[in-house]
Amino acid sequence: MIGYIVSLVIFTATYALFSLGLNLQWGFTGLINFGHIAFMTLGAYTTVLLSLQDVPLFISVIAGGAMAALLGLLIGFSTLRLREDYLAIVTVGVAEVVRLIAVNEAWLTRGPMGLYGFPLPLEDYQPNLVGKLAAIAILTAIVAVALWRLWRWMGAQIQGSSRSQWQRNLPLVATYLISLMAILFAIGAIAKQLKANQILPPWGLGIFLIATLAATVWLYVWWARRMFPKLPEWHVSSALIGSVGVTAFGLWVYGCGAVALYNYSYKAGLMLLLLVVLTLTFWFLERMLASPWGRILKAIREDEEVARALGKNVFWYKLQSFMLGGAIAGIAGAFYAWQLTFINPDGFTTLITFQAWTIVILGGAGNNVGTLLGATIFWAYNTATRFILKDIIPLDDARLGAFRLMVIGLLLIILIIWRPQGILGKKEELTLGG
């Protein structure tokens, strides 16, 4: 169980790092990149190939990020003076070219056979008790900073609201959310029993699920429209319940991570290393985006003609953003390879790019905290549905995989209609040309 949680944390952090690069390019600069996987592919292959030649891993990762940035330079130099749709088309083509090179240049990449047996970070590290406690202390510091930021944000929400009002709303909002989760759980449990005992044929079970879920959605939408307009500070109560839930979940994951570090393994060490890199990247991006450089990127995103009229070199700033976002994706590619311990071209599909887009849109474009939240929700959904839906939905594995993609697409459409700026995005700031 703990080993599986550690693997989930690694995948979530890898996708969060990968998506931070896309968020810098699109969320903060407005550059549409549908070929983000090309940077991850180049970073992964460069890191692995150099490490197989006995180049130190640290230098290999830096080289992987640099090669991805160089790819960003080559793409950006030829396309960033054009309209955004040209950049989107070119990035799709470049991603396919990079994949075809990995497939066909077998003398370098071993083609579809892939690469394996390459050096891994902290693979031979065997910490003593002091080393294990130091690793747990680093993990504790990262979690403490994350929770401190969460509750500082929550404190700001409470400070700007009426305390008596949100306290009075709290039981109603909690009842709404808990009852909704209880009903969904009950529908899933009933469907599981119906499928296990073969009480209904597959088409009958499908009709049961569609009818009960549609009725639940209709009931709770109707309830929300009647209740929430009468609760002026309902969003503060919702945020407080969400913060308590995130804190409890985070502490549970932290406990699993601490136990894994105490019983040290390669994956536990990789998890800690990745969390440190993710934290440093997040801190670096937050500092950069709060500087005049970041404000110029936001100005370019909103209206590059205005930025140009103020004397800013729009092309140069867009190129910097594109290269930096590519370098971050390249470093994420190194961790992706280390997690899988095997890479081949089939592991770098276009689907990963669109999963990153889902994460950025879900969390809120132009918000790095939202990207981290989006990655967590995406992998929670991915994991939960993988193990739960197979006991409920009357479909085989291949169709179930397609169904899960359809569901997340449907949820994304609903989110964009209801809250186009994403969960943590700011609508008044994020117009994206709209």
Side-chain angles (χ1 to χ4, degrees):
M1 177 66 178
I2 288 180
Y4 184 70
I5 297 299
V6 168
S7 290
L8 277 181
V9 172
I10 293 173
F11 273 119
T12 303
T14 302
Y15 273 65
L17 187 62
F18 181 58
S19 302
L20 282 176
L22 181 64
N23 192 37
L24 175 65
Q25 293 173 342
W26 178 66
F28 286 101
T29 320
L31 303 173
I32 301 175
N33 177 6
F34 289 148
H36 202 47
I37 188 63
F39 300 108
M40 174 183 264
T41 309
L42 196 57
Y45 270 97
T46 302
T47 303
V48 169
L49 289 171
L50 288 179
S51 62
L52 283 173
Q53 300 301 317
D54 296 328
V55 176
L57 284 175
F58 177 74
I59 296 176
S60 300
V61 174
I62 298 298
M67 287 297 291
L70 179 61
L71 178 65
L73 174 67
L74 296 175
I75 298 173
F77 200 77
S78 58
T79 58
L80 288 180
R81 295 183 191 278
L82 306 175
R83 293 201 324 248
E84 292 86 354
D85 44 359
Y86 286 96
L87 174 63
I89 295 168
V90 169
T91 52
V92 172
V94 169
E96 186 60 14
V97 168
V98 171
R99 191 188 68 82
L100 289 175
I101 290 174
V103 170
N104 293 296
E105 299 301 324
W107 62 272
L108 180 65
T109 64
R110 297 195 65 213
M113 299 293 292
L115 296 168
Y116 52 87
F118 43 82
L120 302 170
L122 304 174
E123 185 179 18
D124 300 323
Y125 179 58
Q126 294 296 330
N128 55 20
L129 181 60
V130 175
K132 293 177 180 177
L133 293 178
I136 294 173
I138 294 172
L139 179 65
T140 304
I142 292 173
V143 173
V145 170
L147 293 180
W148 171 73
R149 284 199 56 147
L150 171 66
W151 284 99
R152 189 181 68 166
W153 172 81
M154 191 62 243
Q157 301 296 312
I158 291 176
Q159 201 169 23
S161 63
S162 168
R163 180 179 292 271
S164 61
Q165 189 65 54
W166 67 258
Q167 284 179 340
R168 191 162 51 247
N169 296 341
L170 200 57
L172 292 173
V173 176
T175 301
Y176 180 87
L177 295 175
I178 293 172
S179 63
L180 175 59
M181 288 187 288
I183 289 177
L184 292 176
F185 178 80
I187 292 173
I190 293 171
K192 183 178 179 180
Q193 290 301 318
L194 291 175
K195 183 181 180 183
N197 298 318
Q198 298 183 344
I199 296 173
L200 292 177
W203 61 267
L205 183 56
I207 291 176
F208 167 78
L209 283 171
I210 292 172
T212 51
L213 290 175
T216 303
V217 170
W218 177 84
L219 174 64
Y220 275 80
V221 169
W222 173 81
W223 187 5
R225 286 180 174 174
R226 290 182 65 86
M227 182 178 73
F228 288 129
K230 300 176 183 176
L231 305 177
E233 302 288 352
W234 68 270
H235 62 282
V236 178
S237 303
S238 302
L240 183 59
I241 294 171
S243 297
V244 171
V246 169
T247 301
F249 179 73
L251 290 176
W252 178 72
V253 174
Y254 161 74
C256 294
V259 172
L261 287 171
Y262 189 78
N263 303 311
Y264 187 83
S265 65
Y266 159 67
K267 287 295 179 68
L270 181 64
M271 175 193 70
L272 184 64
L273 181 62
L274 177 53
L275 289 177
V276 169
V277 171
L278 179 63
T279 304
L280 293 176
T281 304
F282 176 82
W283 172 80
F284 172 73
L285 288 176
E286 288 289 286
R287 290 291 301 267
M288 290 294 291
L289 292 168
S291 69
W293 183 81
R295 290 193 286 274
I296 292 171
L297 293 189
K298 293 178 184 176
I300 292 171
R301 177 192 66 193
E302 298 306 313
D303 191 337
E304 65 179 64
E305 293 302 326
V306 173
R308 189 174 287 112
L310 292 173
K312 304 303 179 185
N313 189 335
V314 171
F315 171 75
W316 178 234
Y317 281 100
K318 288 165 74 173
L319 192 60
Q320 291 175 22
S321 172
F322 201 67
M323 290 175 64
L324 182 56
I328 293 171
I331 294 172
F335 283 97
Y336 186 68
W338 290 337
Q339 161 67 0
L340 297 177
T341 66
F342 167 79
I343 58 170
N344 72 349
D346 290 340
F348 299 93
T349 62
T350 305
L351 179 63
I352 297 178
T353 295
F354 288 95
Q355 288 172 340
W357 274 92
T358 301
I359 288 169
V360 172
I361 293 172
L362 182 64
N367 189 315
N368 287 326
V369 177
T371 300
L372 301 184
L373 178 64
T376 304
I377 293 174
F378 175 81
W379 273 97
Y381 164 83
N382 200 36
T383 305
T385 56
R386 177 174 296 172
F387 293 105
I388 294 174
L389 289 186
K390 68 179 183 181
D391 295 330
I392 299 174
I393 306 293
L395 296 173
D396 55 44
D397 289 344
R399 292 177 180 175
L400 196 59
F403 179 78
R404 290 165 56 217
L405 284 176
M406 288 172 56
V407 170
I408 198 166
L410 179 63
L411 294 176
L412 204 57
I413 291 172
I414 294 173
L415 176 69
I416 290 175
I417 294 173
W418 173 61
R419 191 175 171 83
Q421 70 273 31
I423 296 174
L424 295 182
K426 295 180 180 178
K427 192 173 184 179
E428 63 276 11
E429 176 186 332
L430 195 67
T431 60
L432 288 175

